[in-house]
């Protein structure tokens, strides 16, 4: 087998392994995620129960990183203490190692049965729990198939003339071996996948046991780095748990690497067979860190919390410094000054446009960096609003005509509406997206389509309203108000459709009901604020009625 063919087969096997692991985790989260989170919050009173709950969650989710991120979010919300969070993560790491052991058994004959049963449940069942169980069974079957693919791809390497040279180098340079495994695990974002890959290669005689043991230590270092990187933009309380895990697990791997170099233990002590030795080394390491780390959890929390507080928050948004259009030298010329304020208001519109378009992306795939970016954009809107307000106040000190005074007041109202729209995005919509992320819930396909369509309508009307700052077109202003009325009817229809899904007892609709309804309400409020930009144009043309109330008969 040529090198290109080998890498192609190995890449395909690893990709299937990662995708299958993700399938199992997704199925468990959607079917039982809420129950797991409830049990997690309820069973943290005693260190042993907290550790066991972390172990169970890692087995269910097929990922210790997922447990770490979930626990860190609970700690950030104050639902779990920092020390309890560290204990839960310790149990999660051990649970992840035990999953690797289970998957290392020869379960080849089980794969066809799991594929058949999983496909039937996934494709035929209308009930969500059974549908997601089918997804999990398919994922487990694909994991087993991917491991067989790894073994098959690695088989020809035993006769390779190049491999002994590489192995000889790695055996003589344990630091390179250790760092290589850490980098591989970080790239895979899965310690289970990395350990199973090492075990499969060791089983085929490609990886000597001594090298394999060193790489297991590197796997644990790389795995402990994933969560701190993913939470780097989060609050200090939320970052502290991943940092504590990195401190305990990363430092432990470095210390044991030094001991390995001194003692040179016999891999046979960990069992018979190269694959078993690697799996058992992984379990033994995490059991060791658990036993040593339990009494040191308080110290680890204090250190990690101190480190998290020291870290300067990441600056978000564009790095370049923008030049304000509010030129003080133009204050003596009201027309020029009002034009400058209009240019700055248009910049506010651009920022609101960006925030409004990005918020739906945060709903679809929330992450700490996107959340931080939106908050940074809102700060920019607030700063620009304050600057324009003060600038307009200085213009009024000069002698202005009635038309100029009216334009000044209109611009002030525009800036107030834009600032309020930004507040709704950050203080309301962003909180809904964070709530969705923390609860790990998903909208129904119908509900998500309704939200996306409603958001798209608000975006279209917002851009029409923004155009009115450049061109006071009465037809455009009328279209904005017509669209506002249409969206009011659309909101009512969306709410009715959502209640119909609740009556059908759709579980996803029940889980996301408040988020769905609050999102539609807030999008409607944003549309109302931005549609107000059309009123000065319509009023000037005499196209605005004084009241929508009918005259009494």
């Amino acid at each position: 087998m040529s090198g290109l063919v080998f890498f192609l087969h190995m890449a395909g096997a690893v990709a299937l392994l990662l995708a299958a692991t993700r399938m199992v985790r997704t199925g468990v989260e959607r079917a039982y995620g809420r129950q797991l989170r409830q049990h997690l919050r309820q069973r943290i009173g005693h260190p042993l129960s907290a550790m066991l709950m972390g172990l169970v969650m890692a087995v269910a989710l097929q990922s210790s990183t997922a447990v770490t991120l979930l626990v860190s979010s609970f700690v950030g919300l104050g639902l779990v203490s920092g020390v309890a969070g560290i204990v839960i993560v310790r149990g999660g790491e051990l649970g992840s190692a035990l999953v690797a052991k289970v998957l290392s058994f020869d379960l080849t004959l089980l794969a066809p049965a799991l594929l058949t049963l999983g496909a039937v449940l996934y494709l035929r069942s209308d009930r969500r729990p059974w549908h997601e169980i089918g997804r999990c069974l398919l994922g487990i079957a694909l994991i087993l198939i991917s491991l067989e693919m790894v073994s098959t791809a690695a088989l020809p390497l035993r006769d390779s003339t190049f491999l002994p040279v590489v192995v000889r180098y790695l055996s003589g340079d344990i630091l390179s071996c250790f760092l290589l495994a850490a980098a591989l695990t970080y790239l895979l974002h899965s310690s289970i996948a990395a350990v199973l890959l090492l075990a499969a290669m060791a089983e085929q005689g490609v990886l000597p046991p001594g090298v394999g043991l060193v790489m297991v230590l590197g796997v644990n270092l790389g795995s402990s780095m994933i969560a701190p990187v993913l939470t780097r933009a989060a609050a200090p309380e939320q970052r502290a748990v991943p940092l504590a895990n990195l401190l305990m697990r990363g430092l432990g791997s470095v210390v044991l690497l030094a001991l390995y170099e001194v003692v040179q233990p016999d891999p046979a002590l960990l069992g018979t067979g190269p694959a078993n030795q690697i799996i058992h080394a992984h379990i033994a390491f995490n059991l060791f860190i658990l036993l040593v780390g339990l009494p040191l959890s308080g110290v680890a929390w204090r250190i990690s919390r101190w480190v998290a507080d020291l870290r300067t928050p990441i600056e978000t948004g564009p790095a370049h410094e923008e030049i304000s259009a509010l030129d003080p030298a133009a204050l003596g010329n009201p027309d020029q000054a009002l034009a400058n304020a209009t240019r700055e208001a248009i910049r506010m519109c651009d920022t609101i446009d960006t925030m409004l378009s990005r918020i739906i992306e945060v709903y679809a795939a929330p992450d700490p960096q996107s959340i931080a970016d939106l908050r940074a954009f809102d700060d920019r809107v607030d700063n620009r609003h304050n600057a324009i307000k003060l600038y307009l106040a200085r213009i009024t000190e000069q002698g202005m005509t009635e038309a100029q005074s009216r334009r000044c007041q209109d611009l002030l109202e525009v800036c107030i509406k834009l600032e309020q729209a930004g507040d709704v995005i950050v203080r309301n919509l962003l909180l809904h997206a964070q709530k969705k992320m923390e609860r790990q819930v998903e909208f129904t396909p119908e509900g998500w389509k309704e939200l996306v369509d409603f958001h798209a309508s608000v975006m279209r009307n917002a851009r029409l309203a923004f155009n009115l700052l450049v061109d006071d077109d009465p037809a455009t202003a009328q279209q904005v108000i017509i669209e506002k009325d249409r969206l009011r009817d659309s909101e009512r229809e969306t709410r009715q459709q959502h209640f119909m899904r609740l009556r059908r007892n759709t579980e996803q609709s029940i889980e996301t009901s408040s988020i769905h309804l609050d999102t539609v309400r807030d999008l409607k409020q944003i549309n109302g604020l931005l549609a107000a930009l059309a009123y000065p144009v319509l009023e000037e043309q005499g196209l605005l009625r004084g009241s929508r109330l009918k005259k009494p008969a």
Side-chain angles (χ1 to χ4, degrees):
M1 180 186 294
S2 68
L4 180 60
V5 174
F6 161 73
F7 282 114
L8 182 61
H9 279 266
M10 189 63 74
V14 172
L16 180 60
L17 177 60
L18 294 174
T21 304
R22 179 65 179 270
M23 279 186 67
V24 176
R25 183 164 69 250
T26 301
V28 172
E29 287 176 346
R30 291 182 178 178
Y32 303 108
R34 185 172 56 181
Q35 293 92 321
L36 286 173
R37 289 189 291 275
Q38 288 174 347
H39 285 304
L40 174 62
R41 290 195 294 267
Q42 294 168 358
R43 304 191 179 184
I44 58 173
H46 191 274
L48 181 60
S49 62
M51 183 272 293
L52 290 176
M53 192 60 209
L55 189 151
V56 170
M57 292 192 67
V59 171
L61 298 175
Q62 302 274 292
S63 171
S64 59
T65 300
V67 175
T68 304
L69 294 175
L70 179 61
V71 170
S72 66
S73 68
F74 283 168
V75 172
L77 292 171
L79 301 176
V80 177
S81 69
V83 175
I86 293 173
V87 174
I88 295 169
V89 171
R90 293 273 55 79
E93 300 292 359
L94 181 59
S96 175
L98 294 176
V99 169
K101 176 60 181 176
V102 172
L103 294 175
S104 68
F105 291 130
D106 186 6
L107 303 174
T108 308
L109 296 178
L110 189 60
L114 292 176
L115 280 173
T116 304
L117 180 59
V120 170
L121 292 175
Y122 184 74
L123 297 175
R124 297 295 182 184
S125 178
D126 294 329
R127 298 184 60 187
R128 183 186 176 194
W130 289 107
H131 179 81
E132 298 303 334
I133 289 173
R135 184 197 299 271
C136 293
L137 295 178
L138 285 173
I140 294 171
L142 292 176
I143 288 174
L144 300 176
I145 292 172
S146 67
L147 293 175
E148 184 65 24
M149 290 175 62
V150 170
S151 297
T152 303
L155 190 60
L157 290 180
R158 291 186 299 182
D159 303 323
S160 170
T161 56
F162 176 70
L163 183 62
V165 178
V166 177
V167 170
R168 217 169 19 248
Y169 172 77
L170 291 176
S171 300
D173 188 354
I174 64 169
L175 182 59
S176 296
C177 192
F178 175 76
L179 295 176
L180 177 64
L184 173 66
T185 306
Y186 181 79
L187 290 174
L188 294 178
H189 268 44
S190 171
S191 60
I192 294 177
V195 169
L196 291 175
L197 182 61
L198 294 179
M201 296 181 70
E203 186 68 25
Q204 298 301 327
V206 175
L207 199 64
V211 174
L213 297 185
V214 172
M215 296 191 79
V216 165
L217 296 175
V219 164
N220 283 277
L221 173 64
S223 177
S224 64
M225 295 170 61
I226 299 171
V229 173
L230 293 177
T231 58
R232 64 189 182 277
E237 297 85 358
Q238 192 170 340
R239 295 199 309 269
V241 170
L243 288 173
N245 183 45
L246 175 61
L247 174 66
M248 300 170 75
R249 203 167 166 211
L251 183 61
S253 64
V254 173
V255 170
L256 289 181
L257 178 67
L259 287 175
Y260 177 87
E261 177 69 10
V262 174
V263 179
Q264 294 288 325
D266 184 2
L269 296 173
L270 294 168
T272 58
N276 282 332
Q277 291 166 4
I278 285 180
I279 299 292
H280 293 166
H282 186 49
I283 296 174
F285 173 84
N286 284 283
L287 182 60
F288 170 76
I289 297 298
L290 172 65
L291 296 176
V292 173
L294 278 178
L296 298 176
S297 297
V299 177
W301 169 251
R302 285 192 291 271
I303 294 175
S304 60
R305 189 69 177 83
W306 175 70
V307 172
D309 285 334
L310 283 178
R311 183 179 177 277
T312 303
I314 295 176
E315 293 293 333
T316 55
H320 65 278
E321 182 180 354
E322 295 186 345
I323 300 175
S324 173
L326 305 176
D327 183 9
L331 288 171
N333 185 338
D335 285 333
Q336 185 61 48
L338 290 171
N340 290 343
T342 302
R343 286 171 54 198
E344 204 68 8
I346 291 172
R347 288 185 175 180
M348 285 184 70
C349 292
D350 291 339
T351 306
I352 294 295
D353 186 282
T354 301
M355 294 173 66
L356 194 54
S357 63
R358 286 195 182 185
I359 189 63
I360 199 69
E361 299 172 6
V362 175
Y363 267 74
D367 66 88
Q369 186 59 54
S370 299
I371 292 171
D373 285 346
L374 279 174
R375 289 202 173 103
F377 280 121
D378 184 53
D379 291 340
R380 182 178 301 171
V381 169
D382 292 342
N383 293 336
R384 191 159 280 151
H385 167 244
N386 289 330
I388 294 174
K389 181 171 59 177
L390 294 175
Y391 191 77
L392 291 175
R394 295 176 66 186
I395 297 176
T396 57
E397 296 174 0
Q398 312 297 326
M400 289 195 296
T401 65
E402 182 179 348
Q404 290 170 339
S405 297
R406 187 169 56 250
R407 176 60 177 167
C408 183
Q409 184 62 36
D410 290 344
L411 277 174
L412 183 59
E413 292 294 331
V414 165
C415 293
I416 291 173
K417 299 298 183 185
L418 292 174
E419 192 266 342
Q420 290 173 342
D423 285 345
V424 175
I425 293 173
V426 171
R427 297 180 185 177
N428 294 5
L429 291 177
L430 191 55
L431 289 182
H432 304 330
Q434 287 180 285
K435 189 183 298 182
K436 174 178 176 289
M437 176 178 65
E438 289 156 2
R439 294 179 181 176
Q440 294 187 354
V441 294
E442 297 293 336
F443 297 108
T444 62
E446 299 88 348
W448 177 240
K449 184 177 185 302
E450 288 172 5
L451 288 181
V452 170
D453 291 344
F454 195 84
H455 172 268
S457 298
V458 173
M459 284 293 305
R460 285 194 297 271
N461 205 38
R463 286 166 179 167
L464 280 177
F466 296 156
N467 290 340
L468 293 173
L469 286 180
V470 180
D471 182 12
D472 297 339
D473 180 27
T476 301
Q478 286 180 309
Q479 184 61 39
V480 168
I481 301 303
I482 291 171
E483 185 67 13
K484 176 188 174 185
D485 293 338
R486 190 193 69 77
L487 277 169
R488 185 176 60 248
D489 297 336
S490 178
E491 184 224 6
R492 189 181 303 113
E493 182 181 348
T494 298
R495 196 164 51 237
Q496 290 173 351
Q497 293 293 331
H498 178 73
F499 285 134
M500 288 177 61
R501 288 193 294 274
L502 289 179
R503 293 190 189 101
R504 294 198 302 266
N505 201 30
T506 304
E507 188 174 350
Q508 279 180 282
S509 294
I510 295 172
E511 290 178 341
T512 60
S513 179
S514 62
I515 300 176
H516 183 105
L517 295 175
D518 290 346
T519 298
V520 173
R521 178 204 64 200
D522 293 330
L523 285 172
K524 178 192 171 188
Q525 182 183 359
I526 291 171
N527 183 68
L529 289 169
L530 299 181
L533 274 62
Y535 293 149
V537 178
L538 296 175
E539 186 176 12
E540 187 176 353
Q541 298 293 324
L543 299 174
L544 198 62
R545 289 186 298 181
S547 173
R548 294 178 59 188
L549 293 174
K550 291 183 178 180
K551 294 182 179 180

